[in-house]
Each structure stands twice: as C-alpha cells, then as structure tokens.
Amino acid sequence: RELVLEAVRQNGEALQCAAVPLKADRELVLVAVRQNGNALHFAAEPLKADRELVLEAVRQNGNALRFAAEPLKADRELVLEAVRQN
C-alpha cells in the first residue's frame, strides 16, 4: 500500500496499475485524484459515487466528472465546479 500511495502522490494515474483492493481504498484514491482528477477513472465503482471524492477530482480537473457515477453527473455544484475548472 505504501508503495502505491507514493506512486499516486507523484502521478495519480498510477492508480491504474494498483491491485483491485487498493482501487477501493478511499484515502489512496483521494490522494490520486488530488494529484490528477482523471485518476477517478480507475477508482472502484462505489468511490465514483462518493460526492466528496468526486468533488476533489473535479476541482483538480473538470473533465473528471465524466468518470463519476451517473447521479453525480447531474449534481449542480459538481457541474458548476467542472465548468469553472475548464
């Protein structure tokens, strides 16, 4: 876990290479999306429905909204933040 945590601190998209259980580790995924919002793409499905985590991803990169769970794609605050970032 520590090795993957260090990797995603440097490049959030390193989450892509993480073991499946680590893709469901909220703390690790949060670090990844803060570094690169598009890392949300590689997160476990339940985390894609985590509004706080998605907001962090969108704050880093508005395009990350496309990887969020469907209900969050219609969330007014998330959409406005995505537009603001892009």
Side-chain angles (χ1 to χ4, degrees), residues 32-78:
V33 300
R34 284 179 174 158
Q35 197 285 325
N36 184 331
N38 285 329
L40 184 63
H41 179 63
F42 307 111
E45 290 303 314
L47 293 181
K48 293 178 181 182
D50 180 322
R51 189 176 184 284
E52 180 186 345
L53 196 141
V54 171
L55 182 57
E56 288 295 325
V58 170
R59 283 181 175 149
Q60 199 287 321
N61 183 335
N63 288 325
L65 187 60
R66 68 181 181 213
F67 302 121
E70 286 302 316
L72 293 181
K73 291 179 182 178
D75 182 297
R76 179 176 166 79
E77 182 185 359
L78 292 175

